[in-house]
Each structure stands twice: as C-alpha cells, then as structure tokens.
Amino acid sequence: MSKLIQCELFKVFRQKKLYLFMLILTAVEISAVFQIYWEAAGFTGFGPNGQSFPLIVLHNSTFFIPILIAILAADSIAEEYRSGNLKKALLCPVSRMDLLHAKIVSMFTVVAVLLIFLVLSSYLIGTLAFGWGERTVVDEIVYTFSEGVRLVAKIVLLSVPPNLAFGMIVIFVALLTTNPGGSIGAALVLLAVSPLVEGIPQVRDFFIGYQMRVIPFLPLHDMAAIDLWGGLAVIIVYFGVLYAGSVMMIRKKDILI
C-alpha cells in the first residue's frame, strides 16, 4: 500500500499540470496586487501588507483551488482509465481498494501542497509589493504576528476538508463516467450553481459549495462551535457517501477489459 501511494504521489508531482497550476495561483496573487493598487482598496481597513496579504489571497482563491483539484482528480481516474494506466496498475498484485485509497491520499496531498504553496508565495509577493508591516489587520481588527500566522494556519487547515470532499465528488463522477471532460464539467457546474443555491437559506448549509466558502473563514468572525461542527458534519457526510459510492463503482467497473 505504501509503495502504491508513493507511486501515485510520484505521478502527481511529475505532472507539468501541477506546476502550471502553481504558476496560475502566482498569477492570481499578482493580479490581486494590481487590483489593490488600482482600486486603492484591500481586504483590510488599514491597507494590505505582507502579513495580511495571504488572507486576501485565500479569500479570493475559493474558486481557483477547487477547479485545479477537479482537473487533477479527473486526470487521476478518468484519464488513466481511458489511457489504460488503471488496467496496468491492477495487473500488478494491487487490490482495487488499495488503488482507490492511494488516489484519495494523493488528492489529499495535492490539496495540502497547493494551499501551502499559496500561503508561502502570497507572504513573499505581499511583502515584496507592500512591505512586511508591523501587524496583521483584518476588518480593522489588529493581530500580532504570531496571532496572524495562527489565523492563516487555521484557515488553511479548515480549507482542506471541504476541498477534499469536493475532490471526492470528482473522483466519483470520474469513476461513473470515465470521461475526464465530463468529470471536470460536472465540477464546474457545481461551482457555477453554488451562488444560486446559497441564496436559499433553507438548503445552503447542505451544499458543498457553500461550505467551501464559509467553513475556512469562520476564524475571521465570531466562530460559533455549532457553525463549525455543523459544517464539518455536512462535509463528513459528503465524503462518506461519495467514498461508499466510489468503492461500489471501482469494484463493479470493468477496468481490466
């Protein structure tokens, strides 16, 4: 199992797409710098600096990160099925469940790597553009350096579960359709209809798109435990149901034909 995970991670990190995505995230950060300069308005009331810029970037990346995850997850399943790489993997002494688990672990790693890269690069770009600054300021609330770092760390950690659940949606659709374009398209549709669903208070809490936007940024507000645990419960249900569906699909799929 560990060797299979290592193999999956090796395949992910040798893909040019992953590094292209990192360049895209860097471009998003640079565009945020120009937008702040041009509009003379930032996420913070006192103007951005190197300490607060990662919060601006994380706030604006809730659409980009899921798209990148969707592309990589679709490639990991549907594209490998189409190219025959899944068949080659199963011709070795590897179970289908081990293969699915390796795909999920590699997806988790990609989510973590993209988020960490986003934070570190935004610290660098924010400092080069605005200077480091003396404190982290969010919505006119002043934090010390250590408090600001902890705030960013909390947002990153809380970003992982909803993005992972979103990735499981793509994995399930990819196993169901074995079509990379269809899997990515389904993810894009899900993201596109999210703002419409969020306008309905009675159902928005059960929508993964809403949780992806809200859960990570609860530390910026008066984080109520009921909101946090309620959102995480929805995410766990998503992950559990989609994992069960993915297990059923990979067991039934005629991969070896």
Side-chain angles (χ1 to χ4, degrees):
M1 175 64 176
S2 59
K3 289 184 178 180
L4 184 58
I5 292 175
Q6 291 174 11
C7 180
E8 286 296 322
L9 291 176
F10 177 75
K11 285 193 294 184
V12 168
F13 285 104
R14 69 191 294 264
Q15 287 188 55
K16 294 180 181 178
K17 286 181 181 178
L18 179 61
Y19 302 101
L20 176 61
F21 294 159
M22 289 181 176
L23 288 176
I24 292 173
L25 291 176
T26 304
V28 170
E29 295 167 358
I30 294 173
S31 68
V33 169
F34 283 111
Q35 182 178 359
I36 291 169
Y37 273 127
W38 287 336
E39 298 181 359
F43 187 64
T44 67
F46 294 95
N49 56 32
Q51 297 184 49
S52 58
F53 188 68
L55 297 170
I56 302 173
V57 173
L58 285 168
H59 191 266
N60 293 333
S61 66
T62 53
F63 182 76
F64 291 99
I65 292 288
I67 292 177
L68 305 184
I69 293 170
I71 294 172
L72 289 173
D75 277 354
S76 177
I77 298 291
E79 182 61 28
E80 287 195 14
Y81 179 89
R82 186 190 63 80
S83 65
N85 285 336
L86 282 184
K87 177 180 178 180
K88 292 178 183 177
L90 291 177
L91 289 175
C92 302
V94 172
S95 73
R96 297 187 178 212
M97 291 303 301
D98 284 348
L99 182 60
L100 176 62
H101 292 158
K103 298 289 185 184
I104 294 173
V105 171
S106 67
M107 182 180 65
F108 173 85
T109 304
V110 167
V111 171
V113 167
L114 288 176
L115 287 169
I116 292 171
F117 171 80
L118 189 69
V119 168
L120 295 179
S121 59
S122 60
Y123 268 123
L124 176 61
I125 292 175
T127 300
L128 292 175
F130 307 109
W132 178 247
E134 298 179 356
R135 67 272 194 262
T136 303
V137 184
V138 183
D139 290 338
E140 300 186 0
I141 300 176
V142 179
Y143 299 89
T144 64
F145 165 70
S146 60
E147 290 172 339
V149 170
R150 285 197 295 270
L151 184 63
V152 171
K154 287 178 183 178
I155 293 174
V156 170
L157 288 174
L158 289 175
S159 296
V160 172
N163 280 294
L164 193 57
F166 181 80
M168 281 302 305
I169 295 176
V170 181
I171 286 179
F172 174 75
V173 174
L175 285 169
L176 182 66
T177 64
T178 63
N179 186 315
S183 306
I184 297 170
L188 293 177
V189 169
L190 188 61
L191 292 174
V193 302
S194 179
L196 302 176
V197 177
E198 291 172 19
I200 308 174
Q202 293 83 356
V203 300
R204 68 184 183 188
D205 289 341
F206 303 102
F207 197 68
I208 189 63
Y210 176 74
Q211 297 299 342
M212 290 170 67
R213 279 200 324 101
V214 172
I215 283 289
F217 301 101
L218 286 177
L220 292 177
H221 311 288
D222 294 329
M223 183 172 61
I226 188 171
D227 294 332
L228 176 61
W229 291 112
L232 290 177
V234 170
I235 291 167
I236 290 171
V237 170
Y238 265 99
F239 189 90
V241 170
L242 291 163
Y243 172 76
S246 298
V247 168
M248 181 179 67
M249 291 304 304
I250 201 169
R251 283 178 173 171
K252 290 184 176 181
K253 210 71 178 177
D254 294 326
I255 298 175
L256 297 179
I257 291 180

